[in-house]
Amino acid sequence: MKPVLLVDFGSTYTKVTAVDVEGEQLLGTAQSWTTVTTDINEGLNKALAILEEKTGKLEFTETYACSSAAGGLRMVTSGLVPELTSEAARMASLGAGAKLVGLYSYEMTEDDIEDIKELKPDIFLLCGGTDGGNKANILHNAEMLATMEPAFPIIIAGNRSCARSCQRILEAAGHTTFICDNVMPKLGTLSIDSTQSKIRDVFLGRIVSAKGLTKAASLMNDIVMPTPAAVLQAMTILAEGVDGEAGIGELVGVDVGGATTDVYSIADGMPTANNTVYKGLPEPYAKRTVEGDIGMRYSIHGIVEAAGLSRVAKMAGISEARVTELVDMLGNDTETLPGGNDELERLDKALASMAVETAVTRHAGKIEETYTMMGQTFVQSGKDLRGVTQIVVTGGSLIHTKDTAEIARYALADASHPESLRPLKAAVRTDRKYILAAMGLLSLHYPAAALRIMKKELEEDGYSE
Amino acid sequence: MKEHHDKKILVLGVIGADVHAVGNKILYHAFTDAGFQVENLGVMVSQEEFIAAAIETDADAIVISSLYGQGELDCVGMREKCDEAGLTGIPLLVGGNIVVGKQDFNEVEKRFKAMGFDRAFPPNTAPETTIEALHELLDDK
């Protein structure tokens, strides 16, 4: 046996997962409160004690950790045109596991700079212009950032013709900068790998220690990535497979949390039919989006707003007045769990369903039918996920219920919204033991073991159409 | 990558609900061979997409094709939107079957010039004619 420990320092819970990489099996999982204000090892040690009660004493040979504690990896980005380089910057940050707290397009103003001071990002991503294209905008934004006291590293990933000029402007003002490949080197071409790997380096090198996450890091030899990046990594391995072991194929992943809902898709999604024209920036094969207004507790009001009070009330079988009352209560007492209360269980189920529907609809592409002189034509923007046949779900409200498959059904296409390119039918797999982030970490060194453990542990929860 | 520095940049596309892709490909190759850097948006391009692309690439000119007869409607307001977006004075060229039916092209050209287009070309214009016009508009700038 070769036990490896995987730790996820979440904003609320520190989750530990023990696996035997030789036997390729899960040994156990446990969690305790994250203790970021005192010493992060306190919560970790408690979680480990709980784990070892179940598994017995384990001598871990390796330990890997990810973190979304202390606010996660907070980023602000700037680009030129909202649909082009600003969008590319957004996709680069989210795919690297960041929490996007600000996004600017065109020329930043003095007021924007004041806002950025307040936002206190961990990293700023400065983009704009294709290679050889617009220089004026990114140079202006570099000048604006240079007026600030240096407070965060700045990644420059815009028009390569003036990357060095931006660097000189910023470094003259004392800022730390890194130059990466342009996120959109040519019109309609996304190139985010170099930026994403730099974001990860900066996260490792500076942010982990700056946030006090490695204070007395006796147990940890490495926090290697932000939690969402680990989950995206797990989803990618699960979909694609590794040498000698096939994955489950293209998938959509949904993580309904208390404050946000994250959606992942590991899928190509480009048009397959001849009469379909693609519009907009092509999206990354491994794509992550975050809905900041959709969550089961802190963002509970956002779900009701998106779905409509009457729909939530009807689904839960509770009067609108009572739903309003309960939603206010849950939004304040964010620790409340349904705990066998039938009314709360029905409400949580309705809310989770609507969270899934809203977040996946926003993540998926759209198709529009138009008639041209040449006949019927379709215009697609974003990813076509109709052919995806696997849905992976995680998050408390989805894994602590028997109704997972019913809730997950809301990730699928529905006849009343034919423009939304969500999966038509899919098998549902549930991350009952909360191991996705851990498997993402494990897959960095033991991809085959991570894949096989996921295939074994992600419970199939039926088939939805 | 040095090419970016000395080549003039063109944004090219077929405007409106027009899916004629062949002429667009021919123009792309002709302009590229003539030494331009061509950002080709393909078919069914809206005014906004032309403008967004021109901003991001710092384009020297926008070349619009229209083959399905509705080009005049599709082009209304293009110059004003360019002005609004900060693309002041960017050369706008248009060609193809840009109006409905057979009309006196002198009249058609007048109308497009009144809309702020620098050049309007009748059906069956050879790419060389447009390339010549581009040189007139862009050289020594």
Side-chain angles (χ1 to χ4, degrees), chain A residues 34-54:
Chain A
T34 294
T35 48
V36 75
T37 43
T38 51
D39 177 351
I40 200 150
N41 281 320
E42 269 176 44
L44 173 61
N45 288 331
K46 269 188 198 152
L48 280 174
I50 300 168
L51 175 74
E52 290 191 335
E53 271 172 34
K54 300 180 194 173

Side-chain angles (χ1 to χ4, degrees), chain A residues 80-81 84-85 106 128-135 160-161 184 187 277 279-280 370-374 377 379, chain B residues 1-2 4-5 9 11 17-20 37 39 41-46 49 52-53 55-58 68 70:
Chain A
L80 176 49
V81 175
L84 298 173
T85 44
Y106 302 115
T130 52
D131 284 347
N134 182 289
K135 294 179 196 163
R160 66 189 293 277
S161 313
M184 200 183 86
L187 210 60
V277 177
K279 284 290 155 193
T370 58
Y371 287 89
T372 68
M373 313 287 268
M374 313 285 278
T377 303
V379 179
Chain B
M1 289 303 227
K2 196 178 165 297
H4 292 299
H5 297 286
I9 301 171
V11 168
D18 191 341
V19 291
H20 290 87
Q37 182 191 325
E39 301 289 349
L41 305 180
V43 300
M44 294 186 81
V45 182
S46 67
E49 287 173 283
I55 293 174
E56 204 71 77
T57 60
D58 206 12
Y68 73 151
Q70 309 297 315

Side-chain angles (χ1 to χ4, degrees), chain B residues 8-52:
Chain B
K8 295 287 185 190
I9 301 171
L10 307 179
V11 168
L12 173 71
V14 185
I15 199 165
D18 191 341
V19 291
H20 290 87
V22 178
N24 171 261
K25 295 251 162 63
I26 293 171
L27 287 180
Y28 170 76
H29 289 295
F31 294 156
T32 305
D33 290 347
F36 294 99
Q37 182 191 325
V38 187
E39 301 289 349
N40 190 8
L41 305 180
V43 300
M44 294 186 81
V45 182
S46 67
Q47 290 189 2
E48 289 74 14
E49 287 173 283
F50 276 110
I51 290 167

Side-chain angles (χ1 to χ4, degrees), chain A residues 93-356:
Chain A
S93 320
L94 290 176
K99 179 173 178 182
L100 202 52
V101 293
L103 194 163
Y104 296 89
S105 297
Y106 302 115
E107 293 183 350
M108 293 196 294
T109 65
E110 285 171 40
D111 291 331
D112 294 340
I113 295 298
E114 291 304 315
D115 290 342
I116 293 165
K117 283 180 193 162
E118 293 294 313
L119 287 168
K120 295 190 176 68
D122 297 314
I123 300 176
F124 192 99
L125 176 58
L126 179 65
C127 301
T130 52
D131 284 347
N134 182 289
K135 294 179 196 163
N137 193 80
I138 192 170
L139 287 168
H140 169 90
N141 288 345
E143 297 277 6
M144 292 304 290
L145 288 169
T147 64
M148 291 181 65
E149 284 292 310
F152 42 77
I154 297 170
I155 296 175
I156 302 163
N159 184 352
R160 66 189 293 277
S161 313
C162 54
R164 288 290 186 142
S165 311
C166 291
Q167 186 171 47
R168 276 193 291 274
I169 292 165
L170 289 161
E171 294 202 336
H175 291 271
T176 304
T177 63
F178 304 97
I179 294 180
C180 290
D181 295 346
N182 191 350
V183 290
M184 200 183 86
K186 288 173 60 157
L187 210 60
T189 306
L190 198 62
S191 165
I192 56 181
D193 292 349
S194 119
T195 297
Q196 291 188 328
S197 94
K198 181 55 72 183
I199 292 171
R200 204 175 123 190
D201 287 351
V202 175
F203 175 80
L204 288 187
R206 310 169 58 91
I207 293 160
V208 171
S209 53
K211 284 180 181 283
L213 297 179
T214 48
K215 195 165 38 176
S218 55
L219 274 165
M220 309 307 312
N221 48 16
D222 229 343
I223 292 182
V224 294
M225 54 169 82
T227 305
V231 175
L232 188 60
Q233 168 73 18
M235 300 264 189
T236 307
I237 292 272
L238 180 62
E240 286 186 334
V242 297
D243 276 347
E245 174 95 15
I248 64 170
E250 294 193 333
L251 64 83
V252 169
V254 191
D255 179 356
V256 182
T260 63
T261 296
D262 290 24
V263 182
Y264 304 81
S265 59
I266 314 296
D268 178 49
M270 291 305 277
T272 46
N274 276 335
N275 61 349
T276 304
V277 177
Y278 188 87
K279 284 290 155 193
L281 206 52
E283 298 191 336
Y285 166 75
K287 175 189 174 189
R288 167 179 176 248
T289 49
V290 181
E291 304 310 327
D293 60 333
I294 302 294
M296 292 296 291
R297 291 296 178 263
Y298 299 94
S299 311
I300 192 169
H301 292 278
I303 303 179
V304 179
E305 224 163 85
L309 177 61
S310 61
R311 189 153 175 230
V312 174
K314 202 172 152 201
M315 286 176 69
I318 306 171
S319 76
E320 292 188 18
R322 181 69 181 146
V323 169
T324 307
E325 206 175 297
L326 289 171
V327 162
D328 285 341
M329 187 271 281
L330 293 171
N332 286 325
D333 307 328
T334 53
E335 304 301 330
T336 310
L337 297 172
N341 176 322
D342 177 55
E343 189 183 40
L344 283 181
E345 273 180 5
R346 277 182 288 136
L347 179 62
D348 261 4
K349 182 179 167 185
L351 289 167
S353 303
M354 291 298 94
V356 169

Side-chain angles (χ1 to χ4, degrees), chain A residues 1-5 17-28 51-52 54-62 446 453:
Chain A
M1 187 161 89
K2 188 179 175 193
V4 170
L5 174 64
T17 304
V19 298
D20 170 19
V21 290
E22 274 173 8
E24 294 184 339
Q25 58 173 334
L26 191 66
L27 298 171
L51 175 74
E52 290 191 335
K54 300 180 194 173
T55 60
K57 184 75 189 151
L58 291 168
E59 292 298 331
F60 294 111
T61 54
E62 288 158 69
Y446 302 97
I453 293 171

